[in-house]
Amino acid sequence: KEFEDYLKWAVSKLDNLHFNSPVEDISYNENHFEIKVNNQIYKSKNVLMGAGLTAKIPEFCREYISSSCFHSSQFLKEYNNYSGKIVTIIGGGQSSCEILKFILEQDEDKLPSKINWVIRSHKLNVLENTPFANELYTPNYSQFIYSLDTETKDKLFKEQKSTSDGVSEETLNEIYDLLYQNELHKTFEISIYNDSSLNNVEKNDKSYFLNINEDLTIETDIIVLGTGFEYKIPKCISNLSNLYETENGVFKVDELYRLIPKTDIEGSIFIHNGA
């Protein structure tokens, strides 16, 4: 609460912050960038892109996106009383686990009749949050990573995934206790599918039918897609993107997190969470 109060106070003192102002386009003109916002043009020598990540939604789910089939990032917006319904959670990451915990903590008259939990990995991966793991997020280590070849980087990133993509031990312990309580009282049914992937979704007037591992079909009323996030080049910079080096659909950056231009361009575009 105090941190929120501080941020509100800081914002009130700054007249160069603009909310409800989506960037429509970024272009380059001679020696500066031009940023179009709410039909107004801002000129700038440099640009810092902090546009964030995009929800990763399987292509076969997109036509069904609604209040009964949605990405985990929309859960609090879409959540309603799930009493008597079948709920399926896809994914075993932190978001999926927090959503499962939230549902399990509801009063008995708001609990689903059944929960399906579909997890791609063999086990739930615990977030590695030791001081040694946190050393991987220092400037020195970033410099070291930058100097490596692509194959070595990919190998290290796979080994280090649990330092950013795991589930907190506290959350897992709380879920386990809640499931144990259900074992005693049997207030709902739960099926956990590990080593399992969602391959397809179909729908009739009443239910969704999920194809799991190609040989199993699950019927459900609600689908929560804890399928993570991915970086995509923001639409506002797409017209400018052909002036910069890309690789596999994303920008290449130098060791200072600047986009690498194909030609001489004055000024820099720095990128956050896109490297």
Side-chain angles (χ1 to χ4, degrees):
K1 181 60 180 173
E2 289 179 359
F3 193 66
E4 180 185 8
D5 288 343
Y6 164 72
L7 289 175
K8 288 180 177 178
W9 172 83
V11 166
S12 72
K13 304 294 182 183
L14 297 170
D15 59 7
N16 60 341
L17 293 177
H18 303 280
F19 296 96
N20 298 315
S21 301
V23 177
E24 298 163 31
D25 186 54
I26 300 175
S27 58
Y28 183 75
N29 186 5
E30 294 181 354
N31 62 352
H32 64 271
F33 297 99
E34 293 186 352
I35 301 95
K36 185 180 180 182
V37 182
N38 292 339
N39 293 319
Q40 184 175 351
I41 301 295
Y42 293 92
K43 296 181 179 180
S44 180
K45 200 74 175 175
N46 301 291
V47 175
L48 170 60
M49 294 290 296
L53 303 177
T54 302
K56 188 187 296 183
I57 298 175
E59 197 62 41
F60 51 78
C61 291
R62 293 186 181 276
E63 63 178 297
Y64 302 122
I65 294 300
S66 62
S67 59
S68 58
C69 176
F70 50 85
H71 190 263
S72 58
S73 59
Q74 301 301 305
F75 177 75
L76 290 179
K77 176 184 174 185
E78 300 292 355
Y79 171 74
N80 210 324
N81 189 334
Y82 291 156
S83 175
K85 295 184 177 181
I86 304 173
V87 177
T88 300
I89 300 172
I90 307 295
Q94 182 72 27
S95 296
S96 297
C97 288
E98 288 183 6
I99 287 169
L100 175 62
K101 176 175 172 286
F102 178 91
I103 293 173
L104 296 178
E105 289 176 332
Q106 299 305 300
D107 295 335
E108 190 170 332
D109 62 341
K110 293 183 179 180
L111 286 172
S113 60
K114 182 177 181 180
I115 298 174
N116 298 306
W117 191 11
V118 181
I119 306 166
R120 179 179 293 175
S121 59
H122 182 72
K123 66 178 184 65
L124 292 165
N125 296 310
V126 181
L127 181 68
E128 189 180 350
N129 193 27
T130 66
F132 291 103
N134 291 332
E135 284 292 315
L136 303 180
Y137 295 92
T138 60
N140 279 347
Y141 193 76
S142 293
Q143 291 289 330
F144 165 71
I145 284 290
Y146 184 81
S147 68
L148 301 176
D149 61 84
T150 301
E151 184 179 350
T152 307
K153 283 181 187 176
D154 290 343
K155 176 177 178 291
L156 286 177
F157 289 158
K158 288 176 183 177
E159 291 179 2
Q160 298 164 6
K161 191 174 182 182
S162 62
T163 65
S164 65
D165 288 0
V167 186
S168 72
E169 184 176 347
E170 179 185 12
T171 301
L172 292 177
N173 287 337
E174 289 171 338
I175 290 173
Y176 192 91
D177 289 344
L178 289 164
L179 293 178
Y180 177 73
Q181 291 299 319
N182 182 62
E183 284 290 309
L184 300 179
H185 304 293
K186 295 294 182 184
T187 50
F188 61 89
E189 182 183 350
I190 183 165
S191 295
I192 301 176
Y193 303 90
N194 65 326
D195 286 321
S196 298
S197 297
L198 176 65
N199 295 324
N200 196 27
V201 175
E202 295 182 355
K203 186 179 186 296
N204 64 16
D205 293 339
K206 295 182 178 179
S207 304
Y208 295 96
F209 297 89
L210 281 59
N211 178 255
I212 307 295
N213 291 348
E214 298 183 356
D215 59 356
L216 175 66
T217 299
I218 296 175
E219 183 176 355
T220 190
D221 300 308
I222 307 293
I223 304 174
V224 181
L225 297 166
T227 43
F229 295 85
E230 59 187 343
Y231 180 80
K232 289 186 176 180
I233 293 176
K235 290 181 181 179
C236 63
I237 201 173
S238 59
N239 292 331
L240 193 63
S241 60
N242 64 330
L243 299 180
Y244 292 89
E245 298 286 350
T246 59
E247 185 177 32
N248 298 323
V250 297
F251 289 117
K252 294 179 70 174
V253 300
D254 65 16
E255 57 188 328
L256 297 179
Y257 297 90
R258 296 176 299 194
L259 304 193
I260 300 173
K262 295 178 180 177
T263 58
D264 289 337
I265 291 180
E266 291 186 38
S268 300
I269 297 180
F270 297 85
I271 198 162
H272 177 67
N273 259 1

